[in-house]
Amino acid sequence: MKRIISLLVLAALLLSGCAGRQTEKKQYQATFLTLFDTVTSIVGRADSEEAFRQTAQSIHDELLEYHQLFDIYNDYDGVANLKTINDNAGLAPVKVDGRILALLKDCKTYYEATGGKVNVAMGSVLRLWHEAREDGINDPVHAYLPDRAKLEAAAEHMDLSAVIVDEAASTVFITDPQVRLDVGAIAKGWSVQQVCASAPSGLLISVGGNVCATGPKDETGTPWVVAVQNPDGGDEHLHTLYLSRGSMVTSGDYQRAYVVDGELYHHIIDPNTLYPSTQWRSVTIVCPDSGLADALSTALFVLSLEEGQKLLEQFDAKAMWVDREGNRFYSPEFENLIRT
Ligand code: ADP
Ligand code: MG
């Protein structure tokens, strides 16, 4: 709920930041609550409310298809999705939509680039954390940590090379019956990127804080203003940034977390320790590609500052880190984006 409220605050801020400019086109906003288990907001100018509504609806419909394809928890009639692939681990290849093949191909690239820190084959480990977190959120008094022995047993089965993507046959086969896919670190940003690539210019699309601008917000080239959330919550943002085109994505320890014995345990897991990474409160990435931004935000969250800086050198991306004492660190060009 906190996450939803803070995102709505962000949406409101984006809107108010855009008011007051008079040309014949007006600005509209649409909000959807049913995609990727988070809040989606679309803001932009259009000739009429009806024209905007149609644009927003088609973006919603496309995102809904991605949501269903990449879902690991639910089945949908007539859809072979990631859950279908997981259910068939060790049993049979599953014929899937080309968008699943394309996502998994990029996931392999990001796995290699991050030295395995972002590993979508870690589903068996992540599921143990997911279950413990859901139970802990529903019943905080009895909140517990995943069993260490179970975590270690699951970690025996997180080898991405067990995921065989056959592009010619359009199939995916997990050869190890205990390996599971979980694309939570990448899929939202990746889907936003696909949608943004074909959306009209001049929109700002946010799916749970994976923000993408398809062009400046008006004909005179005025950039959008987007906010970097304070990990401690509240209405105070750490920064507002200019964004005309491209993406801003934040990974934070406040996004999905629960408390055990007074300690916060969040949803970004270091594949080496099998525990939530504790060094950072949040990492924000700004770069042209939203899928890459999502992968990098998770990767930098589990890497040290030096390792993260080194990784960034390979990409056209800027980053800002916030540590547990509230200290902020910036990659060299990030500060050029800051408005306040
Ligand atoms: P959010 O989904 O809140 O935007 P992230 O992009 O950082 O945050 O993704 C976190 C999600 O990614 C987790 O919920 C989990 O499903 C998955 N995940 C967590 N740690 C890793 C990891 N080291 N490698 C791959 N996926 C991970
Ligand atoms: Mg991510």
Side-chain angles (χ1 to χ4, degrees):
M1 197 51 174
K2 183 177 145 219
R3 180 180 162 98
I4 289 180
I5 289 169
S6 54
L7 285 162
L8 287 175
V9 169
L10 173 69
L13 188 115
L14 292 168
L15 264 183
S16 60
C18 307
R21 200 170 275 272
Q22 292 296 320
T23 63
E24 65 284 2
K25 284 191 176 186
K26 276 208 207 135
Q27 184 162 284
Y28 299 95
Q29 183 190 13
T31 303
F32 302 103
L33 301 175
T34 47
L35 300 165
F36 292 101
D37 193 21
T38 188
V39 181
T40 296
S41 106
I42 302 166
V43 189
R45 294 159 73 76
D47 293 327
S48 68
E49 189 169 359
E50 178 54 20
F52 180 79
R53 197 195 60 73
Q54 280 182 15
T55 300
Q57 188 63 42
S58 75
I59 289 170
H60 166 275
D61 294 350
E62 199 181 338
L63 285 170
L64 183 62
E65 289 186 22
Y66 287 111
H67 166 104
Q68 295 188 348
L69 287 172
F70 302 153
D71 195 334
I72 59 169
Y73 299 109
N74 301 289
D75 295 303
Y76 302 93
D77 274 350
V79 179
N81 65 5
L82 287 190
K83 178 172 184 294
T84 322
I85 298 171
N86 280 344
D87 290 347
N88 281 283
L91 298 173
V94 178
K95 202 165 179 67
V96 291
D97 189 284
R99 289 169 288 185
I100 290 184
L101 305 174
L103 172 77
L104 292 179
K105 200 170 157 205
D106 284 351
C107 289
K108 285 210 179 200
T109 305
Y110 298 140
Y111 174 87
E112 279 151 23
T114 62
K117 288 289 185 180
V118 179
N119 178 3
V120 296
M122 238 168 79
S124 295
V125 169
L126 295 172
R127 179 169 284 256
L128 294 169
W129 280 104
H130 181 87
E131 280 167 9
R133 187 170 63 246
E134 296 281 296
D135 289 348
I137 290 169
N138 291 333
D139 183 7
V141 176
H142 299 107
Y144 62 91
L145 293 173
D147 181 69
R148 182 89 226 174
K150 280 192 187 167
L151 280 175
E152 278 168 17
E156 295 293 315
H157 303 278
M158 47 186 241
D159 187 347
L160 190 60
S161 62
V163 181
I164 309 294
V165 178
D166 185 337
E167 288 190 54
S170 279
T171 59
V172 181
F173 179 37
I174 305 179
T175 54
D176 177 338
Q178 294 182 64
V179 166
R180 294 290 179 276
L181 288 166
D182 176 334
V183 293
I186 296 170
K188 242 187 302 149
W190 196 90
S191 304
V192 169
Q193 181 59 34
Q194 310 309 305
V195 167
C196 280
S198 58
S201 178
L203 296 180
L204 191 71
I205 303 173
S206 166
V207 181
N210 279 247
V211 181
C212 179
T214 65
K217 74 179 183 193
D218 61 24
E219 292 77 6
T220 64
T222 313
W224 293 98
V225 175
V226 295
V228 180
Q229 211 175 318
N230 187 331
D232 289 326
D235 293 345
E236 283 287 305
H237 299 285
L238 293 187
H239 286 298
T240 54
L241 309 179
Y242 289 119
L243 189 71
S244 285
R245 198 180 298 281
S247 262
M248 178 193 77
V249 174
T250 299
S251 284
D253 69 0
Y254 52 89
Q255 285 171 331
R256 283 168 211 264
Y258 73 120
V259 175
V260 183
D261 294 334
E263 278 284 323
L264 188 82
Y265 294 88
H266 62 79
H267 69 322
I268 303 172
I269 307 300
D270 184 331
N272 294 112
T273 64
L274 307 181
Y275 262 63
S277 190
T278 52
Q279 189 174 358
W280 306 113
R281 299 289 324 275
S282 75
V283 177
T284 297
I285 304 287
V286 177
C287 78
D289 185 295
S290 184
L292 175 64
D294 201 358
L296 286 178
S297 73
T298 308
L300 265 56
F301 200 95
V302 296
L303 293 172
S304 70
L305 185 63
E306 294 69 29
E307 291 167 329
Q309 282 166 329
K310 201 151 180 288
L311 179 61
L312 277 184
E313 285 169 13
Q314 293 178 42
F315 299 101
D316 177 15
K318 306 172 178 66
M320 167 183 161
W321 296 256
V322 182
D323 74 10
R324 284 161 77 92
E325 284 77 47
N327 301 308
R328 302 173 202 178
F329 304 85
Y330 304 91
S331 72
E333 287 154 34
F334 191 94
E335 281 163 285
N336 301 339
L337 307 168
I338 295 175
R339 173 177 170 261
T340 56

